[in-house]
Amino acid sequence: MRIDIPEGKDAIEYVWGEMIPGIGPAAARFSLAVYAHTTLGLREFEAARLRVAQINGCAFCLDWRTERDGEKVEDGFADAVTNWRTTTAFDERTRLAAEYAERYTLDPPTAWTRSSGPG
């Protein structure tokens, strides 16, 4: 879906503030909960988050880098996520996080077949 943003308007503020009032605060609370309560390390978290963003084409999410305790993933990390199957930049857990995110995004039921989640 493409949305025409009026000239001079910030895209996020326009969509979340004017098109769908109230969604911004709710989305912010949900996002903060995910970031605050994750049990994944930074690299695993970013691999999963970025893989979903790559598949969905979310420009905001693709530009975002999670910072935890003053640290971010290295430059080139997003390219490694794109090539998660063959990159030498990932350990097994980071590769698994990218794979899970891809499976869950493209075909949610198959994501559960490799995990201990419901299904």
Side-chain angles (χ1 to χ4, degrees):
M1 171 198 278
R2 299 259 183 221
I3 299 170
D4 292 325
I5 307 299
E7 192 167 331
K9 297 272 187 173
D10 176 79
I12 292 173
E13 290 175 7
Y14 175 71
V15 172
W16 286 14
E18 295 182 38
M19 288 185 69
I20 313 170
I23 198 170
R29 284 191 301 276
F30 175 75
S31 181
L32 288 173
V34 169
Y35 283 77
H37 299 292
T38 184
T39 58
L40 296 175
L42 177 62
R43 292 175 61 77
E44 297 149 4
F45 185 89
E46 278 295 271
R49 188 193 65 73
L50 272 169
R51 191 64 195 128
V52 171
Q54 290 170 344
I55 293 166
N56 289 334
C58 176
F60 179 82
C61 299
L62 289 169
D63 286 342
W64 177 264
R65 291 298 174 271
T66 300
E67 184 175 324
R68 191 179 294 163
D69 299 325
E71 293 189 31
K72 292 183 180 183
V73 294
E74 69 275 7
D75 290 339
F77 189 83
D79 291 333
V81 171
T82 301
N83 300 303
W84 64 265
R85 288 177 184 83
T86 58
T87 186
T88 58
F90 287 175
D91 62 16
E92 184 60 25
R93 285 180 57 94
T94 306
R95 188 180 319 282
L96 184 60
E99 178 184 1
Y100 183 85
E102 181 173 297
R103 286 175 176 236
Y104 190 83
T105 304
L106 296 175
D107 189 10
T110 64
W112 296 112
T113 62
R114 188 165 174 192
S115 76
S116 59

